Amino acid sequence: MNDLVRQHTDLDDSDLEWLHLLVSEWQLLSDLSFADLVLWVPTSDGTRYVSVAQMRPNTGPTSYQDDMVGHLVPRGRRPMLDAALDEGRIVREGDPEWREEVPVRVESIPVRRAGRVLGVIARNTNLLTVRTPSRLELTYLQSASDLAQMIAAGTFPFPSEQVDMDASPRVGDGLIRLDADGIVQYASPNALSAYHRLGQAADLVGHHLGTATAELAPSRGKSHEALVTVASGKAPRETEIEGNGGVIQLRAIPLSPKGVRSGSLVLLRDVTELRRRERELITKDATIREIHHRVKNNLQTVAALLRLQARRMDSDQGREALEEAVRRVGSIAIVHETLSQNLDERVEFDEIADRVLAMVAEISPGRVTTRRAGCFGVLSADVATPLAMVLTELLQNALEHGFGPAEQGSVEVSAERRHGRLAIAVRDDGRGLPPGFDPQQAGNLGLQIVRTLVVGELGGTFDMVPADGRGTKVLLELALES
């Protein structure tokens, strides 16, 4: 719609925002009217109309099989559009049009904002299945007529009410029509069923909806007063009512077709099962986070015990092995700590990589510097946990075997995501690989762990090659989930 309006019309951004607000709400008008809606806007030169939006009803058959958006119509071809635009009134005159052997009643509703008519809504009703309307259908049509008059007067939609139409109740979910005093004039069967879920035994017709609703909900004080206001239809608002084990979502739409409030529509939907599932998910998420938190605590306890045991070792080789184990356990604990703070099983791995770099750098404080380049991005827990261990092993290997006790240097970890894959390089400027070294066969326990995790668990590739100039470069490449 933005492109069509800016290409063909002279409407400004505030006018376009009003049209967007209207289009976000007009499914309501379409369903109440049992009719298709097409929004026509005059072009900049005033010689044509361009259709910028279209809506089909959920409550009846469509009048348009084709998409009308983007069509251009010369002024004069559709006199009802001209009359609605020029006179600023709803035009209903004329006999039904026949489209592909289907009779269609056409009406035109001017779209007004701040005293100006921005465009015209063509309301097209398929008359092929017309029959004597029921009480529900008459209520729908009367409500649609009131909304159409409000659109023509520029009082609907409500700028202060931002509604998520995907989450809001729809016409078919349940509808209640109130008079100006908030007394129920009509309640659809779905609406009655929803109130029965809350514990309402009697019929709603003739009762004050605000008072009846407040008696069903355990609200008090200001929340009680707000509930009465919304359920009475005095303000365009949404709320939820919970009582008797049920949860009902309400949306109130005041109706003032002639500038004076004549009543209101209340749309409602039974969301009991939806809210129950949401609570179950919240409970499940909280349980998963608590599990990660406890695993992290247990791993930290294991690391502390290993560290304590290392201090009591007389053998330097045994002490170094235990210290390596401490770092391996610590890298896994870092991942679980991050997962315990997230709502899903995905982590921002850059933070984990930085913490692993800091942890491993303790092997040679101040002697060898470590840094990260590039971005790992968000990874799933299934990838993050083994990758953290791999990174720990590679950094330990570079610091322990790439540099002598008094040598200085640097180690850099770089990451790049491209075409659904993650490329990682760990480069040091140390002494380099020994002659005849085969990274796929040789190596200590750390490299064996790396090969097993990268190739076997992550399904990636692993290689070690001489770095440009001096040192060693380890290359990893992993496939990421799409």
Short mmCIF file of all heavy atoms in Angstrom, two decimals, residues 284-296 299 331-349 351-352 355 378-386:
data_model
loop_
_atom_site.label_atom_id
_atom_site.label_comp_id
_atom_site.label_asym_id
_atom_site.label_seq_id
_atom_site.Cartn_x
_atom_site.Cartn_y
_atom_site.Cartn_z
N LYS A 284 7.18 -24.60 32.02
CA LYS A 284 8.19 -25.45 31.41
C LYS A 284 9.49 -24.68 31.20
O LYS A 284 10.59 -25.19 31.50
CB LYS A 284 7.67 -25.98 30.07
CG LYS A 284 8.67 -26.86 29.34
CD LYS A 284 8.09 -27.32 28.00
CE LYS A 284 9.13 -28.15 27.23
NZ LYS A 284 8.60 -28.57 25.91
N ASP A 285 9.40 -23.44 30.69
CA ASP A 285 10.59 -22.63 30.49
C ASP A 285 11.33 -22.38 31.80
O ASP A 285 12.56 -22.45 31.86
CB ASP A 285 10.22 -21.29 29.84
CG ASP A 285 9.80 -21.45 28.39
OD1 ASP A 285 10.15 -22.49 27.80
OD2 ASP A 285 9.13 -20.56 27.87
N ALA A 286 10.55 -22.07 32.84
CA ALA A 286 11.17 -21.82 34.14
C ALA A 286 11.87 -23.08 34.66
O ALA A 286 12.96 -23.01 35.24
CB ALA A 286 10.12 -21.35 35.15
N THR A 287 11.25 -24.24 34.44
CA THR A 287 11.86 -25.50 34.88
C THR A 287 13.16 -25.77 34.13
O THR A 287 14.17 -26.17 34.73
CB THR A 287 10.88 -26.67 34.65
OG1 THR A 287 9.67 -26.40 35.39
CG2 THR A 287 11.47 -27.98 35.13
N ILE A 288 13.16 -25.54 32.82
CA ILE A 288 14.37 -25.76 32.02
C ILE A 288 15.49 -24.83 32.47
O ILE A 288 16.65 -25.25 32.62
CB ILE A 288 14.06 -25.57 30.52
CG1 ILE A 288 13.14 -26.70 30.03
CG2 ILE A 288 15.33 -25.54 29.70
CD1 ILE A 288 12.65 -26.51 28.62
N ARG A 289 15.16 -23.56 32.72
CA ARG A 289 16.19 -22.62 33.18
C ARG A 289 16.75 -23.03 34.53
O ARG A 289 17.94 -22.91 34.79
CB ARG A 289 15.62 -21.20 33.23
CG ARG A 289 15.34 -20.60 31.86
CD ARG A 289 15.21 -19.09 31.94
NE ARG A 289 14.09 -18.68 32.78
CZ ARG A 289 12.86 -18.52 32.36
NH1 ARG A 289 12.56 -18.75 31.10
NH2 ARG A 289 11.91 -18.12 33.18
N GLU A 290 15.86 -23.53 35.41
CA GLU A 290 16.31 -23.97 36.72
C GLU A 290 17.23 -25.19 36.58
O GLU A 290 18.23 -25.31 37.31
CB GLU A 290 15.10 -24.31 37.60
CG GLU A 290 15.45 -24.84 38.98
CD GLU A 290 16.21 -23.84 39.83
OE1 GLU A 290 16.14 -22.62 39.54
OE2 GLU A 290 16.88 -24.27 40.78
N ILE A 291 16.91 -26.09 35.65
CA ILE A 291 17.78 -27.25 35.43
C ILE A 291 19.17 -26.80 34.96
O ILE A 291 20.20 -27.29 35.47
CB ILE A 291 17.14 -28.21 34.40
CG1 ILE A 291 15.91 -28.89 35.02
CG2 ILE A 291 18.15 -29.26 33.93
CD1 ILE A 291 15.11 -29.71 34.04
N HIS A 292 19.20 -25.88 34.00
CA HIS A 292 20.51 -25.36 33.54
C HIS A 292 21.27 -24.71 34.70
O HIS A 292 22.50 -24.87 34.80
CB HIS A 292 20.31 -24.35 32.41
CG HIS A 292 19.98 -24.98 31.09
ND1 HIS A 292 20.77 -25.92 30.49
CD2 HIS A 292 18.92 -24.79 30.25
CE1 HIS A 292 20.23 -26.28 29.33
NE2 HIS A 292 19.10 -25.62 29.17
N HIS A 293 20.56 -23.99 35.54
CA HIS A 293 21.22 -23.32 36.67
C HIS A 293 21.82 -24.35 37.63
O HIS A 293 22.95 -24.19 38.11
CB HIS A 293 20.19 -22.44 37.39
CG HIS A 293 20.76 -21.68 38.55
ND1 HIS A 293 21.63 -20.62 38.39
CD2 HIS A 293 20.61 -21.85 39.89
CE1 HIS A 293 21.98 -20.16 39.58
NE2 HIS A 293 21.37 -20.88 40.50
N ARG A 294 21.08 -25.42 37.88
CA ARG A 294 21.59 -26.44 38.80
C ARG A 294 22.74 -27.22 38.18
O ARG A 294 23.70 -27.58 38.89
CB ARG A 294 20.45 -27.39 39.19
CG ARG A 294 19.37 -26.71 40.02
CD ARG A 294 18.36 -27.70 40.57
NE ARG A 294 17.33 -27.03 41.34
CZ ARG A 294 16.41 -27.65 42.06
NH1 ARG A 294 16.39 -28.97 42.09
NH2 ARG A 294 15.50 -26.97 42.73
N VAL A 295 22.66 -27.50 36.86
CA VAL A 295 23.78 -28.17 36.20
C VAL A 295 25.02 -27.30 36.28
O VAL A 295 26.14 -27.80 36.55
CB VAL A 295 23.41 -28.48 34.73
CG1 VAL A 295 24.65 -28.95 33.96
CG2 VAL A 295 22.33 -29.53 34.66
N LYS A 296 24.85 -26.00 36.05
CA LYS A 296 26.00 -25.09 36.16
C LYS A 296 26.60 -25.12 37.55
O LYS A 296 27.84 -25.20 37.72
CB LYS A 296 25.55 -23.67 35.80
CG LYS A 296 26.65 -22.62 35.82
CD LYS A 296 26.71 -21.84 37.12
CE LYS A 296 25.44 -21.04 37.34
NZ LYS A 296 25.54 -20.19 38.54
N LEU A 299 28.49 -28.40 38.03
CA LEU A 299 29.76 -28.40 37.30
C LEU A 299 30.80 -27.53 38.01
O LEU A 299 31.99 -27.87 38.05
CB LEU A 299 29.54 -27.91 35.87
CG LEU A 299 28.78 -28.87 34.94
CD1 LEU A 299 28.46 -28.18 33.62
CD2 LEU A 299 29.57 -30.14 34.70
N SER A 331 34.23 -24.71 30.80
CA SER A 331 33.67 -24.26 29.53
C SER A 331 32.22 -24.73 29.38
O SER A 331 31.37 -23.99 28.87
CB SER A 331 34.52 -24.76 28.36
OG SER A 331 34.47 -26.19 28.29
N ILE A 332 31.93 -25.95 29.83
CA ILE A 332 30.55 -26.45 29.77
C ILE A 332 29.67 -25.66 30.74
O ILE A 332 28.52 -25.33 30.45
CB ILE A 332 30.50 -27.95 30.08
CG1 ILE A 332 31.38 -28.72 29.10
CG2 ILE A 332 29.07 -28.47 30.02
CD1 ILE A 332 31.50 -30.20 29.41
N ALA A 333 30.22 -25.34 31.92
CA ALA A 333 29.45 -24.59 32.92
C ALA A 333 29.07 -23.21 32.39
O ALA A 333 27.98 -22.70 32.68
CB ALA A 333 30.25 -24.46 34.21
N ILE A 334 29.95 -22.60 31.60
CA ILE A 334 29.66 -21.27 31.04
C ILE A 334 28.43 -21.34 30.13
O ILE A 334 27.55 -20.47 30.15
CB ILE A 334 30.88 -20.74 30.27
CG1 ILE A 334 32.01 -20.38 31.24
CG2 ILE A 334 30.50 -19.52 29.43
CD1 ILE A 334 33.31 -20.03 30.54
N VAL A 335 28.35 -22.40 29.31
CA VAL A 335 27.20 -22.55 28.41
C VAL A 335 25.91 -22.72 29.21
O VAL A 335 24.89 -22.09 28.92
CB VAL A 335 27.41 -23.74 27.46
CG1 VAL A 335 26.17 -23.95 26.59
CG2 VAL A 335 28.63 -23.53 26.59
N HIS A 336 25.93 -23.57 30.24
CA HIS A 336 24.73 -23.79 31.04
C HIS A 336 24.33 -22.53 31.81
O HIS A 336 23.14 -22.26 32.01
CB HIS A 336 24.94 -24.96 31.99
CG HIS A 336 24.82 -26.30 31.34
ND1 HIS A 336 23.61 -26.87 31.02
CD2 HIS A 336 25.77 -27.17 30.89
CE1 HIS A 336 23.81 -28.04 30.44
NE2 HIS A 336 25.12 -28.24 30.34
N GLU A 337 25.30 -21.74 32.22
CA GLU A 337 24.97 -20.49 32.91
C GLU A 337 24.25 -19.53 31.95
O GLU A 337 23.28 -18.87 32.33
CB GLU A 337 26.25 -19.84 33.44
CG GLU A 337 25.99 -18.53 34.18
CD GLU A 337 27.25 -17.90 34.70
OE1 GLU A 337 28.35 -18.42 34.43
OE2 GLU A 337 27.15 -16.87 35.40
N THR A 338 24.73 -19.48 30.71
CA THR A 338 24.07 -18.62 29.71
C THR A 338 22.67 -19.13 29.40
O THR A 338 21.71 -18.35 29.29
CB THR A 338 24.91 -18.57 28.43
OG1 THR A 338 26.24 -18.16 28.74
CG2 THR A 338 24.31 -17.60 27.43
N LEU A 339 22.51 -20.45 29.26
CA LEU A 339 21.19 -21.02 28.98
C LEU A 339 20.21 -20.78 30.12
O LEU A 339 19.01 -20.65 29.90
CB LEU A 339 21.32 -22.52 28.71
CG LEU A 339 21.97 -22.91 27.38
CD1 LEU A 339 22.28 -24.40 27.37
CD2 LEU A 339 21.07 -22.54 26.22
N SER A 340 20.71 -20.73 31.35
CA SER A 340 19.82 -20.51 32.50
C SER A 340 19.23 -19.11 32.52
O SER A 340 18.27 -18.85 33.23
CB SER A 340 20.58 -20.76 33.81
OG SER A 340 21.55 -19.74 34.04
N GLN A 341 19.79 -18.20 31.69
CA GLN A 341 19.30 -16.82 31.66
C GLN A 341 18.45 -16.54 30.42
O GLN A 341 17.95 -15.43 30.26
CB GLN A 341 20.50 -15.86 31.69
CG GLN A 341 21.36 -16.01 32.93
CD GLN A 341 22.68 -15.27 32.82
OE1 GLN A 341 22.95 -14.63 31.82
NE2 GLN A 341 23.49 -15.35 33.86
N ASN A 342 18.29 -17.54 29.55
CA ASN A 342 17.55 -17.34 28.30
C ASN A 342 16.19 -18.02 28.36
O ASN A 342 15.97 -18.94 29.15
CB ASN A 342 18.34 -17.90 27.11
CG ASN A 342 19.59 -17.10 26.83
OD1 ASN A 342 19.78 -16.02 27.37
ND2 ASN A 342 20.44 -17.62 25.97
N LEU A 343 15.30 -17.56 27.47
CA LEU A 343 13.95 -18.12 27.39
C LEU A 343 13.89 -19.33 26.46
O LEU A 343 12.90 -20.05 26.46
CB LEU A 343 12.95 -17.06 26.93
CG LEU A 343 12.73 -15.89 27.90
CD1 LEU A 343 11.78 -14.88 27.28
CD2 LEU A 343 12.18 -16.39 29.22
N ASP A 344 14.92 -19.54 25.65
CA ASP A 344 14.92 -20.69 24.76
C ASP A 344 16.29 -21.36 24.80
O ASP A 344 17.19 -20.93 25.49
CB ASP A 344 14.56 -20.28 23.32
CG ASP A 344 15.49 -19.20 22.78
OD1 ASP A 344 16.54 -18.95 23.41
OD2 ASP A 344 15.17 -18.60 21.74
N GLU A 345 16.41 -22.44 24.05
CA GLU A 345 17.64 -23.21 24.04
C GLU A 345 18.63 -22.67 23.00
O GLU A 345 19.24 -23.41 22.25
CB GLU A 345 17.32 -24.68 23.75
CG GLU A 345 16.55 -25.36 24.86
CD GLU A 345 17.43 -25.58 26.10
OE1 GLU A 345 18.31 -26.43 26.06
OE2 GLU A 345 17.21 -24.86 27.09
N ARG A 346 18.81 -21.36 22.99
CA ARG A 346 19.74 -20.69 22.08
C ARG A 346 20.53 -19.66 22.86
O ARG A 346 20.00 -19.03 23.77
CB ARG A 346 19.00 -20.05 20.91
CG ARG A 346 18.23 -21.04 20.04
CD ARG A 346 17.38 -20.36 19.00
NE ARG A 346 18.18 -19.66 18.01
CZ ARG A 346 18.75 -20.26 16.97
NH1 ARG A 346 18.63 -21.56 16.80
NH2 ARG A 346 19.45 -19.58 16.09
N VAL A 347 21.80 -19.49 22.48
CA VAL A 347 22.67 -18.59 23.22
C VAL A 347 23.43 -17.70 22.26
O VAL A 347 23.69 -18.07 21.10
CB VAL A 347 23.67 -19.37 24.11
CG1 VAL A 347 22.95 -20.16 25.17
CG2 VAL A 347 24.54 -20.30 23.27
N GLU A 348 23.79 -16.53 22.75
CA GLU A 348 24.69 -15.63 22.03
C GLU A 348 26.11 -16.10 22.31
O GLU A 348 26.65 -15.89 23.40
CB GLU A 348 24.47 -14.19 22.50
CG GLU A 348 25.32 -13.16 21.80
CD GLU A 348 25.01 -13.06 20.32
OE1 GLU A 348 23.84 -12.82 19.98
OE2 GLU A 348 25.95 -13.24 19.53
N PHE A 349 26.74 -16.74 21.31
CA PHE A 349 28.00 -17.44 21.57
C PHE A 349 29.18 -16.49 21.70
O PHE A 349 30.22 -16.86 22.26
CB PHE A 349 28.27 -18.48 20.47
CG PHE A 349 29.31 -19.49 20.87
CD1 PHE A 349 28.99 -20.57 21.67
CD2 PHE A 349 30.64 -19.34 20.45
CE1 PHE A 349 29.95 -21.48 22.06
CE2 PHE A 349 31.60 -20.26 20.83
CZ PHE A 349 31.25 -21.34 21.64
N GLU A 351 29.58 -13.99 23.65
CA GLU A 351 29.84 -13.80 25.08
C GLU A 351 30.53 -15.04 25.66
O GLU A 351 31.47 -14.92 26.47
CB GLU A 351 28.53 -13.54 25.81
CG GLU A 351 28.69 -13.36 27.31
CD GLU A 351 27.36 -13.21 28.03
OE1 GLU A 351 26.33 -13.06 27.34
OE2 GLU A 351 27.35 -13.26 29.27
N ILE A 352 30.08 -16.22 25.24
CA ILE A 352 30.71 -17.45 25.73
C ILE A 352 32.16 -17.53 25.26
O ILE A 352 33.06 -17.88 26.03
CB ILE A 352 29.90 -18.67 25.25
CG1 ILE A 352 28.53 -18.69 25.92
CG2 ILE A 352 30.65 -19.97 25.53
CD1 ILE A 352 27.61 -19.77 25.43
N ARG A 355 34.40 -15.34 27.32
CA ARG A 355 34.65 -15.87 28.67
C ARG A 355 35.61 -17.06 28.62
O ARG A 355 36.45 -17.23 29.51
CB ARG A 355 33.33 -16.27 29.32
CG ARG A 355 32.42 -15.07 29.60
CD ARG A 355 31.12 -15.48 30.26
NE ARG A 355 31.34 -16.08 31.56
CZ ARG A 355 30.37 -16.52 32.35
NH1 ARG A 355 29.12 -16.44 31.95
NH2 ARG A 355 30.63 -17.06 33.52
N VAL A 378 24.14 -16.22 17.23
CA VAL A 378 23.30 -17.05 18.10
C VAL A 378 23.39 -18.50 17.65
O VAL A 378 23.22 -18.80 16.46
CB VAL A 378 21.83 -16.57 18.06
CG1 VAL A 378 20.96 -17.47 18.91
CG2 VAL A 378 21.74 -15.13 18.55
N LEU A 379 23.65 -19.39 18.61
CA LEU A 379 23.77 -20.82 18.32
C LEU A 379 22.85 -21.60 19.24
O LEU A 379 22.56 -21.18 20.36
CB LEU A 379 25.21 -21.30 18.52
CG LEU A 379 26.29 -20.62 17.66
CD1 LEU A 379 27.66 -21.15 18.04
CD2 LEU A 379 26.02 -20.84 16.18
N SER A 380 22.41 -22.76 18.78
CA SER A 380 21.60 -23.63 19.62
C SER A 380 22.48 -24.28 20.68
O SER A 380 23.70 -24.37 20.53
CB SER A 380 20.92 -24.71 18.77
OG SER A 380 21.89 -25.60 18.24
N ALA A 381 21.84 -24.74 21.75
CA ALA A 381 22.59 -25.37 22.84
C ALA A 381 23.32 -26.62 22.36
O ALA A 381 24.42 -26.94 22.84
CB ALA A 381 21.64 -25.72 23.99
N ASP A 382 22.73 -27.34 21.38
CA ASP A 382 23.36 -28.55 20.87
C ASP A 382 24.69 -28.26 20.19
O ASP A 382 25.56 -29.12 20.13
CB ASP A 382 22.42 -29.25 19.88
CG ASP A 382 21.17 -29.81 20.55
OD1 ASP A 382 21.21 -29.99 21.78
OD2 ASP A 382 20.17 -30.03 19.85
N VAL A 383 24.83 -27.05 19.66
CA VAL A 383 26.08 -26.65 19.01
C VAL A 383 26.99 -25.93 20.01
O VAL A 383 28.21 -26.13 20.02
CB VAL A 383 25.80 -25.75 17.79
CG1 VAL A 383 27.10 -25.22 17.19
CG2 VAL A 383 25.00 -26.51 16.74
N ALA A 384 26.40 -25.09 20.84
CA ALA A 384 27.20 -24.25 21.74
C ALA A 384 28.00 -25.05 22.74
O ALA A 384 29.17 -24.74 23.01
CB ALA A 384 26.28 -23.26 22.47
N THR A 385 27.43 -26.11 23.31
CA THR A 385 28.14 -26.86 24.36
C THR A 385 29.39 -27.55 23.82
O THR A 385 30.49 -27.34 24.37
CB THR A 385 27.19 -27.89 25.01
OG1 THR A 385 26.07 -27.20 25.56
CG2 THR A 385 27.89 -28.65 26.10
N PRO A 386 29.29 -28.37 22.74
CA PRO A 386 30.54 -28.95 22.23
C PRO A 386 31.49 -27.93 21.66
O PRO A 386 32.72 -28.08 21.77
CB PRO A 386 30.06 -29.94 21.15
CG PRO A 386 28.69 -29.50 20.79
CD PRO A 386 28.12 -28.88 22.01
#
